[in-house]
Coordinates of all heavy atoms in Angstrom, one line a residue:
Chain A
G249 N 18.4 -31.7 -7.3 CA 17.4 -32.7 -7.3 C 16.1 -32.3 -6.5 O 15.5 -33.1 -5.8
S250 N 15.8 -31.0 -6.6 CA 14.7 -30.5 -5.8 C 13.4 -31.1 -6.2 O 13.2 -31.5 -7.4 CB 14.7 -29.0 -5.8 OG 14.4 -28.6 -7.1
E251 N 12.4 -31.0 -5.3 CA 11.2 -31.6 -5.6 C 10.3 -30.7 -6.4 O 9.3 -31.1 -7.0 CB 10.5 -32.0 -4.3 CG 11.2 -33.0 -3.5 CD 10.8 -33.0 -2.0 OE1 10.0 -32.2 -1.7 OE2 11.3 -33.9 -1.3
S252 N 10.5 -29.4 -6.3 CA 9.6 -28.5 -7.1 C 10.1 -28.3 -8.5 O 11.3 -28.6 -8.8 CB 9.5 -27.2 -6.3 OG 10.7 -26.5 -6.5
E253 N 9.3 -27.8 -9.3 CA 9.6 -27.6 -10.6 C 10.3 -26.2 -10.9 O 10.8 -26.0 -12.0 CB 8.4 -27.7 -11.5 CG 7.9 -29.1 -11.6 CD 6.7 -29.3 -12.5 OE1 6.5 -28.4 -13.3 OE2 5.9 -30.2 -12.3
H254 N 10.2 -25.3 -9.9 CA 10.7 -24.0 -10.1 C 10.2 -23.4 -11.4 O 10.9 -23.0 -12.3 CB 12.3 -24.0 -10.2 CG 12.8 -24.4 -8.8 ND1 12.5 -23.8 -7.7 CD2 13.6 -25.4 -8.5 CE1 13.1 -24.4 -6.7 NE2 13.8 -25.4 -7.2
L255 N 8.9 -23.4 -11.4 CA 8.2 -22.8 -12.6 C 8.4 -21.3 -12.7 O 8.3 -20.6 -11.8 CB 6.7 -23.0 -12.3 CG 5.8 -23.5 -13.4 CD1 6.4 -24.6 -14.2 CD2 4.5 -24.0 -12.7
Q256 N 8.8 -20.9 -13.9 CA 8.9 -19.5 -14.2 C 7.6 -19.1 -15.0 O 7.3 -19.8 -16.0 CB 10.1 -19.2 -15.1 CG 11.4 -19.3 -14.4 CD 11.7 -18.0 -13.6 OE1 11.9 -18.0 -12.4 NE2 11.6 -16.9 -14.2
V257 N 7.0 -18.1 -14.6 CA 5.8 -17.7 -15.3 C 5.8 -16.2 -15.5 O 6.5 -15.4 -14.8 CB 4.5 -18.0 -14.5 CG1 4.2 -19.5 -14.5 CG2 4.6 -17.5 -13.0
T258 N 5.0 -15.8 -16.4 CA 4.8 -14.3 -16.7 C 3.5 -13.9 -16.0 O 2.5 -14.5 -16.3 CB 4.7 -14.0 -18.2 OG1 5.9 -14.5 -18.8 CG2 4.7 -12.5 -18.4
I259 N 3.6 -12.9 -15.2 CA 2.4 -12.4 -14.5 C 2.1 -11.1 -15.0 O 2.9 -10.2 -15.3 CB 2.7 -12.3 -13.0 CG1 3.1 -13.6 -12.3 CG2 1.5 -11.7 -12.2 CD1 1.9 -14.6 -12.1
G260 N 0.8 -10.9 -15.2 CA 0.3 -9.5 -15.6 C -0.4 -8.9 -14.5 O -1.1 -9.6 -13.7
A261 N -0.3 -7.6 -14.4 CA -1.0 -6.9 -13.3 C -1.7 -5.7 -13.8 O -1.1 -5.0 -14.6 CB 0.0 -6.6 -12.2
T262 N -2.9 -5.4 -13.3 CA -3.5 -4.2 -13.6 C -3.2 -3.2 -12.6 O -3.2 -3.5 -11.4 CB -5.0 -4.3 -13.8 OG1 -5.5 -4.8 -12.6 CG2 -5.4 -5.2 -14.9
V263 N -2.9 -2.0 -13.0 CA -2.5 -0.9 -12.0 C -3.3 0.4 -12.4 O -3.8 0.4 -13.6 CB -1.0 -0.6 -12.1 CG1 -0.2 -1.9 -11.8 CG2 -0.6 0.0 -13.4
P264 N -3.4 1.3 -11.5 CA -4.1 2.5 -11.9 C -3.4 3.2 -13.1 O -2.1 3.3 -13.1 CB -4.0 3.4 -10.7 CG -3.7 2.5 -9.6 CD -3.0 1.3 -10.1
T265 N -4.2 3.5 -14.1 CA -3.5 4.1 -15.3 C -2.7 5.3 -14.9 O -3.2 6.2 -14.2 CB -4.6 4.6 -16.3 OG1 -5.7 3.6 -16.2 CG2 -4.1 4.6 -17.7
G266 N -1.5 5.4 -15.4 CA -0.6 6.5 -15.1 C 0.4 6.1 -14.1 O 1.4 6.8 -13.9
F267 N 0.1 5.0 -13.4 CA 1.1 4.6 -12.3 C 1.8 3.3 -12.7 O 2.3 2.6 -11.8 CB 0.3 4.4 -11.0 CG 0.0 5.7 -10.3 CD1 -1.2 6.3 -10.5 CD2 0.9 6.3 -9.5 CE1 -1.5 7.5 -10.0 CE2 0.7 7.5 -8.9 CZ -0.5 8.1 -9.1
E268 N 1.9 3.1 -14.0 CA 2.6 1.9 -14.4 C 4.1 1.9 -14.0 O 4.6 0.9 -13.5 CB 2.6 1.7 -15.9 CG 1.2 1.5 -16.5 CD 0.5 2.8 -16.8 OE1 1.0 3.8 -16.5 OE2 -0.6 2.7 -17.4
Q269 N 4.7 3.0 -14.1 CA 6.1 3.1 -13.7 C 6.3 2.9 -12.3 O 7.3 2.2 -11.9 CB 6.7 4.4 -14.2 CG 8.2 4.5 -14.0 CD 8.9 3.4 -14.8 OE1 8.7 3.3 -16.0 NE2 9.7 2.6 -14.1
T270 N 5.5 3.5 -11.4 CA 5.7 3.3 -10.0 C 5.4 1.8 -9.6 O 6.1 1.3 -8.8 CB 4.7 4.2 -9.2 OG1 3.4 4.2 -9.8 CG2 5.2 5.6 -9.1
A271 N 4.5 1.2 -10.3 CA 4.2 -0.2 -10.0 C 5.4 -1.1 -10.4 O 5.9 -2.0 -9.7 CB 3.0 -0.7 -10.7
A272 N 6.0 -0.7 -11.6 CA 7.1 -1.4 -12.1 C 8.3 -1.3 -11.1 O 9.1 -2.2 -10.9 CB 7.6 -0.9 -13.5
D273 N 8.4 -0.1 -10.5 CA 9.5 0.1 -9.5 C 9.3 -0.8 -8.3 O 10.2 -1.3 -7.8 CB 9.5 1.6 -9.1 CG 10.0 2.5 -10.2 OD1 10.6 2.0 -11.1 OD2 9.7 3.7 -10.1
E274 N 8.0 -0.9 -7.9 CA 7.8 -1.7 -6.7 C 8.1 -3.2 -7.0 O 8.7 -3.9 -6.2 CB 6.3 -1.6 -6.3 CG 6.1 -2.2 -5.0 CD 4.6 -2.5 -4.6 OE1 3.7 -2.2 -5.5 OE2 4.3 -2.9 -3.5
V275 N 7.8 -3.6 -8.3 CA 8.0 -5.0 -8.6 C 9.5 -5.2 -8.6 O 10.0 -6.3 -8.2 CB 7.4 -5.3 -10.0 CG1 7.9 -6.7 -10.5 CG2 5.9 -5.3 -9.9
R276 N 10.3 -4.3 -9.2 CA 11.7 -4.5 -9.3 C 12.3 -4.6 -7.9 O 13.2 -5.4 -7.6 CB 12.4 -3.3 -10.0 CG 13.8 -3.6 -10.3 CD 14.5 -2.5 -11.1 NE 13.6 -2.0 -12.2 CZ 13.1 -0.8 -12.2 NH1 13.4 0.1 -11.2 NH2 12.3 -0.4 -13.2
E277 N 11.7 -3.8 -7.0 CA 12.2 -3.7 -5.6 C 11.9 -5.0 -4.9 O 12.8 -5.5 -4.2 CB 11.5 -2.5 -5.0 CG 12.3 -1.9 -3.9 CD 11.5 -0.6 -3.5 OE1 10.6 -0.8 -2.6 OE2 11.8 0.4 -4.0
K278 N 10.7 -5.5 -5.0 CA 10.3 -6.6 -4.1 C 10.5 -7.9 -4.8 O 10.7 -8.9 -4.1 CB 8.8 -6.4 -3.8 CG 8.6 -5.2 -3.0 CD 7.2 -5.2 -2.4 CE 7.0 -3.9 -1.6 NZ 5.6 -3.6 -1.3
L279 N 10.4 -8.0 -6.0 CA 10.5 -9.3 -6.7 C 11.8 -9.5 -7.4 O 12.0 -10.5 -8.0 CB 9.3 -9.5 -7.6 CG 7.9 -9.5 -7.0 CD1 6.8 -9.6 -8.0 CD2 7.8 -10.6 -5.9
R280 N 12.6 -8.4 -7.4 CA 13.8 -8.4 -8.2 C 13.6 -8.8 -9.6 O 14.4 -9.5 -10.2 CB 14.8 -9.5 -7.6 CG 14.9 -9.4 -6.1 CD 15.5 -8.2 -5.5 NE 16.9 -8.1 -5.9 CZ 17.7 -7.1 -5.8 NH1 17.2 -6.0 -5.3 NH2 18.9 -7.1 -6.1
S281 N 12.5 -8.3 -10.2 CA 12.2 -8.7 -11.5 C 11.9 -7.4 -12.3 O 11.2 -6.5 -11.8 CB 11.0 -9.6 -11.5 OG 10.5 -9.8 -12.8
S282 N 12.3 -7.3 -13.5 CA 12.0 -6.1 -14.3 C 10.7 -6.3 -15.0 O 10.3 -7.4 -15.3 CB 13.1 -5.8 -15.3 OG 13.3 -6.9 -16.2
C283 N 10.1 -5.2 -15.4 CA 8.7 -5.2 -15.9 C 8.7 -4.7 -17.3 O 9.4 -3.8 -17.7 CB 7.8 -4.3 -15.1 SG 7.4 -4.9 -13.6
K284 N 7.7 -5.3 -18.0 CA 7.4 -4.7 -19.3 C 6.1 -3.9 -19.1 O 5.2 -4.4 -18.5 CB 7.1 -5.8 -20.3 CG 7.1 -5.4 -21.8 CD 6.8 -6.5 -22.7 CE 5.3 -6.7 -22.8 NZ 4.9 -7.7 -23.8
I285 N 6.2 -2.7 -19.5 CA 5.0 -1.8 -19.2 C 4.2 -1.6 -20.4 O 4.6 -1.3 -21.5 CB 5.5 -0.4 -18.7 CG1 6.3 -0.6 -17.4 CG2 4.4 0.5 -18.5 CD1 6.9 0.6 -16.9

Side-chain angles (χ1 to χ4, degrees):
Chain A
S250 61
E251 297 163 355
S252 72
E253 290 180 23
H254 296 304
L255 221 43
Q256 284 282 126
V257 287
T258 305
I259 300 285
T262 54
V263 304
T265 324
F267 282 93
E268 295 89 354
Q269 189 57 55
T270 41
D273 290 342
E274 192 195 4
V275 170
R276 189 177 320 113
E277 209 173 86
K278 294 190 179 162
L279 302 176
R280 317 289 295 168
S281 174
S282 60
C283 289
K284 196 182 81 174
I285 296 175

